[in-house]
Amino acid sequence: MNSYLNPNQKWLARVNPTLKFLTIAAIFMIYLFVHNFNVMLVSSFAFFIFYLFCNGFSRKLSFWLVTMTFILSVFSASAMVFFGKGTHMLFEWHFMTISIESMTRGLHLGLRTFVYGMLGLIFASTTEPVPFFYSCMQQLRIPPKYAYSFLAAFRLIPIMIEEYRIIRAAMKVRGMSEEKGLLAFYRRVKRYAIILLAQAIRRAQRIAVAMEAKQFSMVKKRTYYYKIGFSRYDLIFTTLILFIIIGAWIFSSYVPLTPYNNVLERSY
Amino acid sequence: MSKRLKLTDILVTIVIAIVFGLIYKISGPLYDIVKILGFQAEQLTYGIYFIAAPVAMLIIRKPGVALLAEVAAAMMEVLFAGSGGIINFYYGIIQGAFSEIIFLIFAYKKFNLPVTILSGLAAAVGSYILDYYYGYLVDLAGWNILLNVVFRFLGTMVISGFIAYFLVKALEKTGVTNLVRPASKDDYDVLNK
């Protein structure tokens, strides 16, 4: 069988990509309706541990991405903490009104953002576009013309970046990057956008014509270079995820770490 | 003339979406930094996340393009570890669908500035549906919600209305849009003369 796997990859890379994506998409929906701060606290801790053991990034990149996610979580909490509604005031200063309610709600939001960020990183670090779209065609029955278009489009990214460098260098040679001010900035952005988009569309159109000629859009009787199925890793993955979600819920109903069981309640 | 999406339409849409997906990914951290102030100023730039749908639709002018463009841009953000993670995927679907509805209402026949602005604003309305659940928006102080709504709609109108429309106008001058647009009735009229 043709293998798309690199032998050094983590076990999560062997989980069926569609299954992994749908599971993570389902977890999103579940946590959208969790308003219990304790459950959120335990789950975010559990998913963080899961990420630490299972992510596919190098250590340095992982450190920066986690830091970014953490900062993002703090930021997404800030508006709610500072300006949320609430009656039990902790701190007041001009516009700023921090109450117990707004604080727990804000922290809840922050943790939720953190969980979603961790899940996104787990998925992104262990899923290659090629197996993902092959799996979409085979398991989700996505028409090949969509899946192959995505794959071809991904191949164009390095070319676009190269083109961006060339345009920048060409403009530098002509002294066009020297101009300052808002209007010059607008003109520069417009110039880049037009050139990059126009070139990308031309190239995409040419590639598409070639792909259509080679029957990439054919649906009937298709064979696939990579066959993607299910394995025991899929079972391990779903069991672990279920264990975290249910475990966090049971743990916090027996051992509530904080008194805030519903962040949407108006009074405690 | 077939109104169904061919491989060419799909590939061009996705490539346009990827260009904007890269912009989404770059603007993500900037957006997050402005967020800390808490005065909703970041909402002024929120409109950038709706731009892929109207631009792709104005270029290709076929049913389904707006939705596909927005979902593709979101998918690209998820696969390349954009900030926010999996949530982008859902925002992509809902914003793309709302954007698409406006073009559908005009039966995919009108592609002028007001329709472009409307489609951006529709995407903004769509984004509030998720925000209602995800961000507990209604539990913010009244003035803060008002700022949020006003800033988001203003920014959307400018970015995914005016900028999207004039970007495509400028692209039309380069001639690339003729490559990918379905032949219009005017084109056939020219042949019949």
Side-chain angles (χ1 to χ4, degrees):
Chain A
M1 196 178 111
N2 304 307
S3 180
Y4 52 87
L5 287 170
N6 166 349
N8 303 323
Q9 257 163 342
K10 295 270 182 169
W11 66 273
L12 263 180
R14 290 166 195 276
V15 174
N16 183 294
T18 305
L19 180 85
K20 198 174 1 177
F21 182 74
L22 292 181
T23 309
I24 286 176
I27 302 174
F28 172 88
M29 291 312 273
I30 292 171
Y31 280 99
L32 209 51
F33 295 100
V34 167
H35 304 302
N36 185 331
F37 186 67
N38 296 317
V39 173
M40 209 66 225
L41 200 64
V42 178
S43 329
S44 43
F45 183 70
F47 276 116
F48 181 54
I49 301 287
F50 184 57
Y51 167 81
L52 284 185
F53 280 100
C54 298
N55 80 83
F57 292 120
S58 69
R59 216 166 261 183
K60 200 174 159 195
L61 184 61
S62 170
F63 172 79
W64 285 114
L65 286 171
V66 170
T67 312
M68 287 279 296
T69 312
F70 183 73
I71 294 172
L72 167 66
S73 312
V74 172
F75 287 180
S76 64
S78 61
M80 184 55 82
V81 171
F82 293 150
F83 308 117
K85 283 177 193 159
T87 44
H88 298 70
M89 285 304 162
L90 292 172
F91 181 79
E92 257 178 296
W93 183 72
H94 293 289
F95 283 119
M96 214 179 267
T97 49
I98 303 180
S99 60
I100 297 177
E101 290 94 328
S102 77
M103 179 119 108
T104 48
R105 229 182 292 123
L107 291 178
H108 189 81
L109 279 185
L111 288 176
R112 194 186 267 175
T113 309
F114 188 72
V115 167
Y116 292 161
M118 283 300 111
L119 289 169
L121 290 182
I122 289 170
F123 181 75
S125 70
T126 59
T127 314
E128 297 281 327
V130 174
F132 177 68
F133 287 109
Y134 267 87
S135 166
C136 281
M137 279 190 279
Q138 292 168 45
Q139 269 89 47
L140 290 182
R141 304 275 162 210
I142 290 200
K145 57 182 175 180
Y146 288 94
Y148 283 120
S149 291
F150 266 102
L151 289 176
F154 280 129
R155 289 284 182 179
L156 293 178
I157 297 174
I159 302 177
M160 286 188 230
I161 293 169
E162 176 69 29
E163 219 159 49
Y164 169 78
R165 289 211 185 97
I166 294 172
I167 301 168
R168 199 178 49 185
M171 288 190 184
K172 220 176 195 172
V173 163
R174 291 165 176 78
M176 287 165 105
S177 47
E178 308 275 303
E179 295 172 47
K180 288 208 170 65
L182 211 61
L183 201 69
F185 175 77
Y186 168 74
R187 274 205 298 269
R188 194 158 69 233
V189 169
K190 195 177 154 194
R191 209 174 286 136
Y192 275 107
I194 298 294
I195 301 173
L196 283 175
L197 273 174
Q199 286 291 81
I201 292 171
R202 280 196 196 106
R203 196 171 290 120
Q205 198 261 347
R206 281 202 298 271
I207 292 172
V209 170
M211 284 170 74
E212 251 173 29
K214 288 178 177 152
Q215 295 297 314
F216 268 90
S217 48
M218 188 183 74
V219 182
K220 285 171 204 155
K221 280 193 271 169
R222 247 214 122 76
T223 55
Y224 296 99
Y225 185 69
Y226 298 124
K227 282 209 182 65
I228 296 185
F230 294 93
S231 64
R232 64 198 158 95
Y233 294 106
D234 301 312
L235 197 67
I236 300 174
F237 175 68
T238 37
T239 316
L240 255 175
I241 293 285
L242 281 179
F243 177 75
I244 291 177
I245 295 173
I246 297 169
W249 186 66
I250 293 174
F251 178 83
S252 37
S253 58
Y254 283 100
V255 195
L257 295 174
T258 66
Y260 311 118
N261 275 325
N262 186 349
V263 291
L264 292 180
E265 259 170 33
R266 292 294 177 270
S267 54
Y268 296 107
Chain B
M1 201 50 213
S2 161
K3 277 279 184 184
R4 282 195 59 187
L5 291 181
K6 288 183 302 174
L7 197 146
T8 313
D9 308 320
I10 297 168
L11 183 56
V12 173
T13 306
I14 293 174
V15 165
I16 294 168
I18 278 187
V19 173
F20 287 109
L22 284 174
I23 296 173
Y24 292 178
K25 192 168 155 26
I26 295 165
S27 55
L30 292 174
Y31 175 85
D32 298 335
I33 287 168
V34 189
K35 227 175 183 175
I36 189 129
L37 300 171
F39 289 103
Q40 309 287 357
E42 82 278 3
Q43 297 296 334
L44 279 170
T45 62
Y46 204 106
I48 191 78
Y49 293 104
F50 311 139
I51 199 173
V55 167
M57 183 53 103
L58 288 179
I59 292 174
I60 298 169
R61 303 190 168 179
K62 276 193 176 182
V65 166
L67 177 62
L68 178 64
E70 202 55 39
V71 172
M75 202 59 230
M76 136 107 202
E77 239 192 317
V78 175
L79 276 168
F80 288 93
S83 60
I86 189 72
I87 187 161
N88 296 322
F89 177 69
Y90 285 94
Y91 273 112
I93 293 180
I94 208 159
Q95 289 163 7
F98 271 71
S99 223
E100 182 81 40
I101 285 171
I102 296 294
F103 292 105
L104 178 72
I105 289 172
F106 289 94
Y108 301 100
K109 288 210 171 87
K110 278 210 162 27
F111 299 96
N112 52 19
L113 183 60
V115 175
T116 315
I117 293 175
L118 271 180
S119 99
L121 293 179
V125 171
S127 68
Y128 276 115
I129 295 176
L130 260 186
D131 278 2
Y132 177 80
Y133 292 103
Y134 175 56
Y136 297 144
L137 202 68
V138 285
D139 290 316
L140 280 170
W143 62 271
N144 211 277
I145 302 178
L146 192 72
L147 272 186
N148 180 301
V149 174
V150 171
F151 281 173
R152 188 177 298 184
F153 279 107
L154 262 182
T156 304
M157 221 190 260
V158 173
I159 297 172
S160 66
F162 284 90
I163 292 183
Y165 183 77
F166 288 109
L167 192 70
V168 176
K169 270 266 163 287
L171 268 176
E172 277 171 2
K173 281 185 200 150
T174 66
V176 288
T177 49
N178 296 333
L179 287 174
V180 289
R181 246 176 223 169
S184 65
K185 200 175 163 298
D186 295 344
D187 299 331
Y188 288 113
D189 289 345
V190 170
L191 291 176
N192 289 333
K193 262 178 198 166

